[in-house]
Amino acid sequence: MNDMTPIQTTLKDWESDQEVRWCPGCGDYAILKAVQRTLPMIGADPKNTVFVSGIGCSSRFPYYVESYGFHTIHGRAPAFATGIKLANPELDVWLVTGDGDGMSIGGNHTMHVLRRNLDCQIMLFNNEIYGLTKGQYSPTSRVGTSSPTSPVGSVDRPALPCAFALGSGARFVARGYDVSKDLPEVLKAAHAHKGAAFIEIFQNCIVYNKDRFDDFTAKGVAAENQIWCTDGEPLLFAKGTKGLSLDHTTLTLKVVDVVDGDWQAADVAVHNVKNRGLAHMLVEMPFGPFPMALGVIYDDPRPTFEGEVVAERAKLIEGKTANLGKLLSKGQTWTVEEKDAAHGLMD
């Protein structure tokens, strides 16, 4: 069994000897550093940590972290992670995927790792484009996105990764973005959750979808257009001058003005990470009339897949002694006599 006692490391301990090769200015650099800052905070041990990825720009991640890693096949990182976790449930498993890898060819696998509730952290880098294969529109690209496969603008309605995760049965859903100073805190919360933790990370593709998220990440508009969700705290944004309130007639969220900091008088809702209905409303808010919901949106643990599998195995073998010969001879058996075999050949 592995010793999972927290240890002391630094960011440098998590840097591999591989040259980091993304396009200059890519948001993946910032996410990599955020993860490498987070791992010492949680007392992670490189010998017990595994990064698993599929295919895409984000999937180069395992090369750059000084730990165990698997760069696998397109969309199938959850399948590999499931096998790893079942073989050794004590390993700390991180999945790295993208909006194409995880929501298109790997959508089925993403759904099942969430439904099963495998204890792992799933980081989905969402740049709303296929970057590695030269800029085709992806499942999360917005309507009107111009690309080599949609030169006059995509007509596809985009998938919402966090809504997909909630619909698949995820018990932890969070959002952040590449250069946010708060991203390590979101990752820490995901790691503390026992079960499948899904984190959508908005990531700037400097080449094919540059500045796509500036409408809520740029310094001049971030305060006005972001709402960071904190359990037990009022849902305030725009430096506390606005908030989200529940319209009790339509059972939908609405933006309200907050006067003199009196959020209670404005009937601003208080965030509750165990409220699944509220989580759905927060991740499905249309950006523009509403701010972008970030932080830990939903966190309500339940037993993990590998925990239940291990418990089931233990119950099945309780009081039994392993005997392979007895197992093989159990049930229907017969002996083929020499004359019977000869008769069969003659026939």
Side-chain angles (χ1 to χ4, degrees), residues 64-87:
Y64 307 140
V65 182
E66 187 61 28
S67 69
Y68 290 104
F70 290 86
H71 188 181
T72 71
I73 51 181
H74 211 182
R76 272 64 175 184
F80 285 83
T82 301
I84 293 165
K85 199 71 180 178
L86 288 177

Side-chain angles (χ1 to χ4, degrees), residues 310-328:
V310 169
E312 182 181 63
R313 288 174 179 169
K315 185 176 180 180
L316 288 172
I317 66 175
E318 186 178 358
K320 297 178 181 177
T321 302
N323 188 325
L324 182 60
K326 184 177 180 181
L327 179 64
L328 292 174

Side-chain angles (χ1 to χ4, degrees), residues 121-192:
Q121 295 74 239
I122 305 161
M123 298 185 294
L124 186 141
F125 298 8
N126 183 9
N127 57 20
E128 296 187 6
I129 207 77
Y130 278 103
L132 186 67
T133 52
K134 306 301 181 284
Q136 301 91 339
Y137 76 93
S138 85
T140 60
S141 296
R142 304 177 199 185
V143 172
T145 296
S146 177
S147 77
T149 47
S150 55
V152 295
S154 170
V155 298
D156 273 8
R157 305 301 303 183
L160 299 174
C162 286
F164 171 87
L166 285 168
S168 298
R171 309 297 297 193
F172 180 101
V173 172
R175 272 196 191 131
Y177 61 94
D178 46 16
V179 297
S180 170
K181 62 181 177 59
D182 296 307
L183 182 56
E185 292 301 315
V186 174
L187 297 174
K188 281 171 60 180
H191 185 267

Side-chain angles (χ1 to χ4, degrees), residues 31-347:
I31 301 172
L32 174 63
K33 287 301 179 186
V35 171
Q36 290 170 330
R37 289 198 302 271
T38 302
L39 293 166
M41 294 180 191
I42 60 178
D45 187 339
K47 74 175 186 294
N48 294 326
T49 304
V50 186
F51 280 83
V52 188
S53 66
I55 295 296
C57 296
S58 63
S59 294
R60 298 184 62 82
F61 215 88
Y63 296 108
Y64 307 140
V65 182
E66 187 61 28
S67 69
Y68 290 104
F70 290 86
H71 188 181
T72 71
I73 51 181
H74 211 182
R76 272 64 175 184
F80 285 83
T82 301
I84 293 165
K85 199 71 180 178
L86 288 177
N88 189 344
E90 293 189 8
L91 290 175
D92 190 8
V93 177
W94 296 73
L95 271 72
V96 186
T97 186
D99 46 304
D101 183 65
M103 294 296 295
S104 183
I105 190 169
N108 174 51
H109 294 271
T110 303
M111 176 185 73
H112 290 302
V113 77
L114 293 169
R115 174 183 64 82
R116 286 172 170 151
N117 199 36
L118 189 80
D119 186 22
C120 60
Q121 295 74 239
I122 305 161
M123 298 185 294
L124 186 141
F125 298 8
N126 183 9
N127 57 20
E128 296 187 6
I129 207 77
Y130 278 103
L132 186 67
T133 52
K134 306 301 181 284
Q136 301 91 339
Y137 76 93
S138 85
T140 60
S141 296
R142 304 177 199 185
V143 172
T145 296
S146 177
S147 77
T149 47
S150 55
V152 295
S154 170
V155 298
D156 273 8
R157 305 301 303 183
L160 299 174
C162 286
F164 171 87
L166 285 168
S168 298
R171 309 297 297 193
F172 180 101
V173 172
R175 272 196 191 131
Y177 61 94
D178 46 16
V179 297
S180 170
K181 62 181 177 59
D182 296 307
L183 182 56
E185 292 301 315
V186 174
L187 297 174
K188 281 171 60 180
H191 185 267
H193 175 88
K194 191 70 173 175
F198 183 87
I199 315 105
E200 178 185 14
I201 305 174
F202 296 109
Q203 176 254 321
N204 185 33
C205 176
I206 196 72
V207 175
Y208 297 109
N209 217 13
K210 184 180 179 183
D211 302 331
R212 171 55 82 183
F213 306 110
D214 273 7
D215 48 7
F216 65 88
T217 63
K219 289 183 179 179
V221 300
E224 188 76 17
N225 294 337
Q226 295 178 14
I227 185 164
W228 282 86
C229 304
T230 303
D231 190 35
E233 297 293 328
L235 290 167
L236 296 168
F237 64 104
K239 299 180 180 179
T241 63
K242 295 181 181 180
L244 296 178
S245 177
L246 180 64
D247 187 318
H248 297 283
T249 301
T250 62
L251 295 180
T252 57
L253 292 174
K254 61 182 179 181
V255 175
V256 294
D257 293 320
V258 177
V259 180
D260 297 329
D262 192 351
W263 60 269
Q264 292 167 311
D267 196 28
V268 173
V270 174
H271 187 46
N272 178 358
V273 293
K274 295 187 184 299
N275 188 327
R276 194 174 188 86
L278 177 61
H280 271 286
M281 286 189 278
L282 288 169
V283 302
E284 294 176 9
M285 291 189 303
F287 179 73
F290 290 93
M292 179 61 68
L294 301 166
V296 179
I297 296 168
Y298 184 62
D299 184 359
D300 189 14
R302 67 170 173 81
T304 65
F305 176 67
E306 74 280 4
E308 295 195 327
V309 169
V310 169
E312 182 181 63
R313 288 174 179 169
K315 185 176 180 180
L316 288 172
I317 66 175
E318 186 178 358
K320 297 178 181 177
T321 302
N323 188 325
L324 182 60
K326 184 177 180 181
L327 179 64
L328 292 174
S329 62
K330 183 179 179 181
Q332 292 183 334
T333 61
W334 61 93
T335 301
V336 179
E337 300 291 348
E338 185 177 352
K339 61 179 182 179
D340 295 331
H343 181 71
L345 287 172
M346 290 174 67
D347 289 347

